[in-house]
Amino acid sequence: MVNPRRKHIFSIHTGCYYSVIILSQISICSLFSMPPSDQFSKHPRAFPVATNGEPFPWRELRLPNMVIPLHYDLFVHPNLTSLDFVASEKIEVLVRDATQFIILHSKDLEIMNAALHSEEDLRYRKPGEKLNVLSYPAHQQISLLVPEKLMADLRYYVVIDFRAKLADGFEGFYKSTYRTLDGETRTIAVTDFEPTEARMAFPCFDEPLFKANFSIKIRRERGHIALSNMPKIKTIELQGGLLEDHFETTVKMSTYLVAYIVCDFKSLSGTTSSGVQVSIYASPDKWSQTHYALEASLKLLAFYENYFDINYPLPKLDLVAIPDFGSGAMENWGLITYRETSLLFDPRTSSASDKLWVTRVIAHELAHQWFGNLVTMEWWNDLWLKEGFATYMELISVNATYPELQIDNYFLNVCFEVIKRDSLNSSHPISNQAKTPTQIREMFDAVSYNKGACILNMLKDFLSEEKFQKGLIHYLKKFSFSNAKNDDLWSSLSNSCLEGDFTSGGFCYSDSKMTSNTLTFLGENVEVKEMMTTWTLQKGIPLVVVNQEGRSLRLRQERFLKGVFKEDHSWRALQEGYLWHIPLTYSTSSSNGIHRYILKSKTDTLDLPEKTSWVKFNVDLNGYYIVHYEGHGWDQLITQLNQNHTLLRSKDRIDLIHDAFQLVSAGRLTLDKALDLTHYLQHETNVLAILKGLEYLESFYHMMDRRNISDVTENLKHYLLRYFKPMIDTQSWSDEGSLWDRMLRTALLKLACHLNYAPCIRKATELFSQWTESNGKLNIPTDVLKIVYSVGAQTTAGWNSLLEHYELSVSGAEKNKILYALSTSKHQEKLMKLIELGMEGKVIKTQDLASLLHAIARNPKGQQLAWNFVRENWTHLLEKFDLGSFAMRFIISGTTSHFSSKDELQEVQLFFESLNAQGSHLDVFQIVLETIPKNIEWLEKNLPTLRTWLLVKI
């Protein structure tokens, strides 16, 4: 994307740049007609300038493929006192095309020596040739200039000595600290390389396609242990009391999966039936919280081996809880690293939602051992091939191993969450161009993860579970220890069953007469690739418009866009060129069976076999599309919900609630009609349907509260308490019931106390008093712990007591609940103290700053405080988090995307313009600048309707 300000400047000087552009194109064309090495030797001035002033022989962000790595011998010695490390490596490379230079990635490393050895040099122990090293930090690259041209098809060995400081943030080879129970601060060293940070730890070919084997040696003190991807072979004692651990050579893998840790952690271990040793590591004081993770890991690893029909290829798997961690977890092959709250489970303080989270994250990272590690995308534009699959496999694996968690309920929210993002014009295709490290980091978003998972679930429903699984196995086996792209997946899913393998469902793969990507569906040939590229190569989500006329269904597909109305002048242009192949499913009032149809055109007609009073599309929410029922369609469905909602499937009822409120935002349905639909919830027993309806009503309350629209806020409060009172009053303050019963309890009681419902406040205050009198020793039921703490935090004594307990707690789950409670204070000085503690990074770890700012911004008393802080401390925040990191994106969206006034929009626009002028640009800026006007528009269009509707209802 071109910077708008820069584009304007250039347009003024079009005349004087025109001839220069033509001349440069001529010289560039002549350059690219010769090999890269010759280009540099003949036209050095056409290349960038290295830090020493010499021409740098490569100008692309991507590395050349003239030289490829085969094997790395890597030695690392971190010093946890001086907080730096020294290291050396020997890279065996294969020269594919003759060249006079080797380009590697390197970032913030001091190269001390570099030498080149031929196979003959090593055989006869010759010293090798010293290499001239050039550095080009703008591309995070170094060039090794060789005295004589390297010959094609020969192997060479590059030896480099280097050193660096242990990084301060969460990337590369960085330091992490934790406090023991007696107050001692201890330091560990840990790596996190995805997507482009292996280059911060050792010079390397830091792209997914350059797979190699790694032999790693780590030097350490006796009081520490060293962990890496593979099991330890031996430990050598050195002079001075140091130890050196040697690890087995890895399988062939990408650099971003390399990992090593030096720490003093304790572990809990078990072995799978296939002989893989699984170990959970944590700091000594948290070792007791590792038991659930071990149980889940053993179960899930065994499931995946069976499901994929491929054994986990390494002899061991370590899962390590890291005290300071930027993301939720990282799937390093054989050494998976986690944020403590994503791996550890404390029965005293971890709630039902905490258990679901830990199980999901473990399932996600274990799925990566196949999707991502065994088969890796060729480039980051197809990140979804691993992240979408790992998210989808959470659903499959947890359903099989922990059915009581009912994760298919949660998976609905996975799709709902990304629809919010994908219904904006600022969304992007699943498979999307990414070149710079910042652009690559931005690919790690809901579209790659959630939408990827949702379209896979839709495809599985279309093909059948059995054939989908066969296709995945075919894909994994064919591309093991290699790289793949979108088309490779579609080919595998089209060729995984035998010729003539038809089913009663009417679909199977093609026989030999058809193309390789064709399958037969209900007697019609369907191209898998042709269908699925409409979902991966174009952004957005389709809206299926249904108009029922007797036994005829008129269908129309459009692009669904939140906040863009058919009468808007931009609507038609935004629809241009969008067409999906949509595998529709539907049921009717007269037939509960699932009917299928593929909508490939803008409009189509379906004839029903019999008359029906209503039709419901997207059965069980397996499709990734929104449905609008024109004419009397919605009225008929609402009537059915009120008369007997059980005639509709439970997931279909959730879908109707979701789609109705989405359609309000696009002007297709009036708000009062969507609100009327929720009226049936007083008879609903499905927890997910109740939670979905509650979510929308509560979001309206918070919007009114933040804007201080007091009359609507008060009326919404009265309506919520009256409408949900029977459900609230039946909740016990306990941890009893199924997981989703417990989730409902938490949601209802949290809402009740937030709305100052007297019985709720009274009970929470009573429990908090008992907790403080016991000096924090009382075990409060985990599902109401956050609620009790939040009520307690409203007094100065309670707030201070919670902050003290926060410092002492060894449970990450409890600390999260306390931090949320502290952020609900009505006193700005207390909220500011939390932010200062988060910036300092000692009491409140820096890793929690983003979620803290988000929580404070959602507090009406803290929203302006958080926003002002981000604007005034942007430079300081960039010192703690990388520009494209999830943390920075979450800080930006978390403190701004809820704004709904024109003054707030202007403030945000001015701030983002100032950042663009400084060269800082993120896609999230555009997301926010699209979201705030839609919030403003939603209020303008719907506030009068909401006000009137409430007056009638209360």
Side-chain angles (χ1 to χ4, degrees):
M1 187 182 291
V2 179
N3 184 320
R5 293 170 69 90
R6 188 178 301 157
K7 185 176 180 182
H8 179 65
I9 293 167
F10 274 26
S11 67
I12 297 171
H13 301 286
T14 300
C16 50
Y17 274 95
Y18 183 71
S19 60
V20 178
I21 291 168
I22 292 176
L23 289 172
S24 65
Q25 284 176 338
I26 293 170
S27 62
I28 287 169
C29 288
S30 63
L31 278 177
F32 281 103
S33 63
M34 62 181 76
S37 188
D38 293 342
Q39 292 173 23
F40 175 61
S41 60
K42 294 186 179 181
H43 302 274
R45 290 186 180 180
F47 286 80
V49 178
T51 50
N52 65 353
E54 294 182 29
F56 190 83
W58 189 250
R59 56 183 162 200
E60 304 297 324
L61 278 166
R62 296 282 296 272
L63 297 182
N65 59 7
M66 303 172 299
V67 179
I68 60 171
L70 301 174
H71 183 269
Y72 294 76
D73 271 305
L74 179 62
F75 162 80
V76 186
H77 179 197
N79 187 320
L80 300 187
T81 303
S82 57
L83 302 178
D84 54 16
F85 67 94
V86 294
S88 63
E89 65 181 350
K90 179 177 71 178
I91 313 174
E92 179 185 356
V93 299
L94 174 65
V95 177
R96 298 170 68 178
D97 297 304
T99 180
Q100 281 199 283
F101 55 82
I102 300 172
I103 307 296
L104 296 169
H105 284 114
S106 178
K107 181 183 177 185
D108 300 333
L109 299 174
E110 181 187 348
I111 310 294
M112 295 180 287
N113 295 294
L116 181 75
H117 297 261
S118 66
E119 290 189 298
E120 183 182 340
D121 292 339
L122 289 183
R123 192 179 303 121
Y124 297 106
R125 299 189 177 182
K126 292 182 180 180
E129 296 180 277
K130 185 175 176 64
L131 298 174
N132 183 20
V133 182
L134 300 180
S135 177
Y136 187 49
H139 287 179
Q140 302 173 0
Q141 293 171 357
I142 58 171
S143 174
L144 308 178
L145 303 183
V146 298
E148 296 180 12
K149 187 173 283 191
L150 303 180
M151 304 308 294
D153 301 322
L154 293 182
R155 297 185 183 204
Y156 294 86
Y157 300 84
V158 177
V159 177
I160 305 175
D161 298 323
F162 55 98
R163 64 188 175 194
K165 300 290 288 183
L166 289 171
D168 287 326
F170 307 96
E171 300 164 338
F173 193 23
Y174 70 95
K175 63 178 182 289
S176 174
T177 61
Y178 72 93
R179 281 180 59 184
T180 63
L181 284 173
D182 57 9
E184 177 191 358
T185 298
R186 295 184 182 176
T187 302
I188 69 168
V190 59
T191 59
D192 192 48
F193 293 160
E194 188 180 38
T196 59
E197 277 71 49
R199 64 194 70 173
M200 293 176 67
F202 57 99
C204 57
F205 298 80
D206 199 12
E207 294 179 6
L209 201 55
F210 291 114
K211 290 193 170 187
N213 304 98
F214 297 81
S215 299
I216 297 173
K217 301 179 182 123
I218 301 177
R219 195 168 290 180
R220 61 178 172 85
E221 294 181 349
R222 194 173 296 275
H224 292 119
I225 61 169
L227 302 170
S228 190
N229 303 85
M230 299 296 287
K232 186 170 64 176
I233 304 171
K234 61 181 178 181
T235 299
I236 299 173
E237 292 204 28
L238 306 171
Q239 288 184 342
L242 290 176
L243 302 175
E244 188 174 285
D245 293 329
H246 294 210
F247 297 89
E248 285 182 28
T249 300
T250 70
V251 295
K252 194 177 176 185
M253 65 186 195
S254 305
T255 48
Y256 77 88
L257 295 170
V258 174
Y260 38 89
I261 301 171
V262 175
C263 64
D264 61 347
F265 287 179
K266 289 177 63 179
S267 66
L268 182 71
S269 300
T271 306
T272 65
S273 56
S274 60
V276 180
Q277 181 174 352
V278 178
S279 302
I280 315 296
Y281 285 85
S283 58
D285 295 336
K286 297 177 181 177
W287 177 84
S288 62
Q289 300 174 42
T290 60
H291 291 78
Y292 178 70
L294 179 61
E295 173 206 303
S297 300
L298 290 169
K299 271 189 180 184
L300 287 160
L301 194 64
F303 168 82
Y304 283 135
E305 288 188 319
N306 179 63
Y307 185 89
F308 296 135
D309 193 32
I310 301 172
N311 281 343
Y312 172 74
L314 309 187
K316 65 91 175 176
L317 176 62
D318 298 333
L319 295 81
V320 188
I322 306 298
D324 300 278
F325 204 75
S327 60
M330 174 56 210
E331 69 266 18
N332 317 297
W333 217 344
L335 183 62
I336 307 176
T337 44
Y338 292 78
R339 188 178 282 222
E340 288 180 332
T341 50
S342 299
L343 184 67
L344 304 180
F345 183 83
D346 176 13
R348 289 182 63 252
T349 57
S350 298
S351 64
S353 60
D354 293 328
K355 188 169 193 175
L356 180 61
W357 169 250
V358 168
T359 313
R360 283 180 50 228
V361 179
I362 293 173
H364 186 102
E365 303 309 322
L366 264 59
H368 273 315
Q369 307 303 295
W370 286 265
F371 283 101
N373 299 11
L374 185 64
V375 179
T376 311
M377 68 275 146
E378 286 189 0
W379 183 245
W380 300 104
N381 62 304
D382 279 334
L383 175 68
W384 84 277
L385 282 178
K386 74 182 189 75
E387 295 301 350
F389 264 108
T391 306
Y392 169 74
M393 289 310 300
E394 293 173 29
L395 169 68
I396 302 302
S397 62
V398 177
N399 248 343
T401 52
Y402 289 92
E404 69 276 13
L405 296 183
Q406 297 175 286
I407 193 174
D408 53 333
N409 287 342
Y410 176 81
F411 192 77
L412 302 181
N413 286 325
V414 168
C415 301
F416 292 154
E417 193 61 36
V418 71
I419 287 171
K420 294 176 189 173
R421 169 82 173 89
D422 214 20
S423 58
L424 299 176
N425 192 44
S426 54
S427 186
H428 64 81
I430 288 179
S431 186
N432 196 38
Q433 287 300 310
K435 295 179 181 178
T436 69
T438 295
Q439 289 169 347
I440 292 167
R441 288 187 195 97
E442 287 189 284
M443 285 293 292
F444 289 76
D445 67 357
V447 174
S448 296
Y449 284 70
N450 299 32
K451 184 176 180 179
C454 296
I455 67 163
L456 287 171
N457 186 58
M458 179 172 67
L459 183 58
K460 179 264 298 180
D461 182 63
F462 172 67
L463 296 177
S464 83
E465 196 156 350
E466 179 190 358
K467 291 181 174 57
F468 186 72
Q469 184 181 354
K470 282 183 183 179
L472 297 190
I473 293 170
H474 182 273
Y475 170 77
L476 289 171
K477 288 185 175 179
K478 183 174 181 179
F479 296 99
S480 287
F481 303 106
S482 186
N483 298 77
K485 52 188 182 297
N486 269 341
D487 287 357
D488 298 321
L489 175 64
W490 308 142
S491 294
S492 292
L493 286 167
S494 299
N495 290 288
S496 63
C497 71
L498 299 174
E499 187 177 327
D501 180 15
F502 288 92
T503 70
S504 59
F507 50 106
C508 187
Y509 302 93
S510 65
D511 60 27
S512 57
K513 296 176 185 175
M514 298 181 190
T515 63
S516 61
N517 278 324
T518 308
L519 58 83
T520 299
F521 173 81
L522 299 175
E524 180 184 353
N525 295 338
V526 179
E527 278 270 349
V528 174
K529 178 183 173 181
E530 185 185 5
M531 180 173 81
M532 293 312 296
T533 52
T534 70
W535 297 95
T536 59
L537 300 186
Q538 65 181 348
K539 64 183 178 182
I541 179 169
L543 170 67
V544 175
V545 181
V546 181
N547 195 327
Q548 183 180 351
E549 296 177 3
R551 286 169 49 185
S552 179
L553 296 177
R554 298 188 184 279
L555 306 177
R556 184 172 77 250
Q557 65 163 290
E558 301 170 3
R559 180 185 175 198
F560 178 76
L561 285 164
K562 187 179 293 185
V564 181
F565 307 99
K566 287 194 79 169
E567 59 269 24
D568 293 350
H569 69 275
S570 61
W571 187 85
R572 189 170 297 279
L574 290 169
Q575 297 291 329
E576 290 274 331
Y578 284 87
L579 181 71
W580 287 266
H581 290 192
I582 310 172
L584 298 175
T585 56
Y586 63 96
S587 62
T588 69
S589 61
S590 54
S591 171
N592 198 37
I594 301 174
H595 306 277
R596 298 177 182 274
Y597 186 76
I598 301 176
L599 180 61
K600 294 183 182 179
S601 54
K602 284 281 189 182
T603 61
D604 210 338
T605 303
L606 270 177
D607 291 321
L608 299 174
E610 55 191 323
K611 194 174 181 182
T612 182
S613 60
W614 53 259
V615 61
K616 165 67 180 65
F617 275 78
N618 200 2
V619 178
D620 280 334
L621 264 167
N622 283 316
Y624 185 73
Y625 54 92
I626 290 172
V627 186
H628 175 44
Y629 304 92
E630 285 189 332
H632 298 294
W634 278 106
D635 293 330
Q636 290 163 334
L637 287 163
I638 291 170
T639 299
Q640 182 62 69
L641 287 172
N642 286 321
Q643 289 177 351
N644 183 1
H645 63 275
T646 62
L647 289 185
L648 285 153
R649 292 171 171 84
S650 58
K651 288 182 182 177
D652 287 345
R653 303 196 296 268
I654 299 163
D655 182 35
L656 289 173
I657 297 169
H658 170 266
D659 284 6
F661 284 102
Q662 293 300 310
L663 290 164
V664 170
S665 70
R668 297 302 181 93
L669 205 63
T670 58
L671 178 60
D672 54 352
K673 184 159 287 189
L675 289 167
D676 285 344
L677 186 149
T678 66
H679 188 69
Y680 95 95
L681 286 173
Q682 58 191 318
H683 306 297
E684 180 63 86
T685 56
N686 181 273
V687 170
L688 262 292
I690 297 168
L691 286 173
K692 180 52 65 177
L694 186 63
E695 174 191 320
Y696 284 111
L697 293 167
E698 203 172 346
S699 70
F700 300 154
Y701 172 82
H702 290 305
M703 181 188 287
M704 301 302 135
D705 193 24
R706 281 193 297 266
R707 284 295 306 276
N708 197 27
I709 305 171
S710 54
D711 64 318
V712 181
T713 304
E714 278 302 304
N715 286 342
L716 255 173
K717 171 183 171 180
H718 292 313
Y719 176 77
L720 283 164
L721 285 177
R722 193 183 75 182
Y723 191 77
F724 288 98
K725 184 179 185 300
M727 294 185 202
I728 292 168
D729 289 345
T730 58
Q731 300 303 315
S732 64
W733 291 67
S734 69
D735 288 338
E736 296 170 358
S738 70
L739 180 132
W740 288 97
D741 288 338
R742 295 171 64 184
M743 300 271 260
L744 179 63
R745 173 184 303 127
T746 301
L748 287 171
L749 292 178
K750 180 185 172 189
L751 173 67
C753 280
H754 183 80
L755 298 178
N756 287 314
Y757 182 50
C760 187
I761 297 292
R762 192 161 50 244
K763 181 64 177 178
T765 303
E766 177 191 329
L767 286 170
F768 188 75
S769 297
Q770 293 171 4
W771 179 80
T772 51
E773 287 165 11
S774 71
N775 291 318
K777 300 289 191 298
L778 177 71
N779 287 344
I780 297 173
T782 60
D783 296 331
V784 297
L785 196 53
K786 183 192 284 191
I787 301 160
V788 172
Y789 287 163
S790 297
V791 172
Q794 301 314 307
T795 68
T796 298
W799 196 91
N800 291 334
S801 176
L802 282 165
L803 185 58
E804 286 175 21
H805 189 73
Y806 181 89
E807 290 191 58
L808 299 173
S809 177
V810 294
S811 164
E814 182 178 39
K815 287 170 89 83
N816 274 356
K817 294 174 180 64
I818 294 174
L819 195 56
Y820 171 82
L822 294 171
S823 76
T824 64
S825 172
K826 307 269 191 306
H827 300 282
Q828 290 197 341
E829 68 276 9
K830 288 184 170 60
L831 300 177
M832 196 62 226
K833 181 177 181 178
L834 292 178
I835 295 174
E836 289 166 356
L837 290 172
M839 287 294 284
E840 184 186 42
K842 292 179 181 177
V843 175
I844 298 173
K845 283 189 167 287
T846 304
Q847 67 175 8
D848 297 316
L849 181 60
S851 56
L852 173 63
L853 285 168
H854 179 273
I856 290 173
R858 290 303 184 270
N859 178 345
K861 298 295 183 183
Q863 58 180 346
Q864 196 62 38
L865 184 76
W867 166 230
N868 289 342
F869 176 82
V870 170
R871 285 188 291 174
E872 293 162 10
N873 292 273
W874 180 257
T875 305
H876 298 304
L877 289 168
L878 280 179
E879 291 168 1
K880 296 181 179 296
F881 306 107
D882 185 88
L883 177 64
S885 66
F886 174 78
M888 283 303 285
R889 287 180 281 145
F890 193 53
I891 286 170
I892 294 163
S893 63
T895 55
T896 59
S897 60
H898 59 286
F899 286 160
S900 56
S901 74
K902 290 178 181 177
D903 288 344
E904 290 167 330
L905 174 61
Q906 187 176 22
E907 286 182 6
V908 173
Q909 285 172 328
L910 289 171
F911 179 59
F912 288 172
E913 284 173 13
S914 72
L915 296 182
N916 285 329
Q918 298 166 28
S920 296
H921 177 75
L922 291 173
D923 288 345
V924 73
F925 294 174
Q926 192 55 44
I927 296 169
V928 169
L929 290 176
E930 188 178 356
T931 300
I932 298 174
K934 293 187 188 312
N935 293 343
I936 295 169
E937 191 172 35
W938 191 98
L939 265 179
E940 288 175 352
K941 286 182 177 293
N942 294 296
L943 179 58
T945 305
L946 180 59
R947 181 177 273 125
T948 303
W949 188 86
L950 285 168
L951 288 172
V952 171
K953 294 298 176 182
I954 61 170

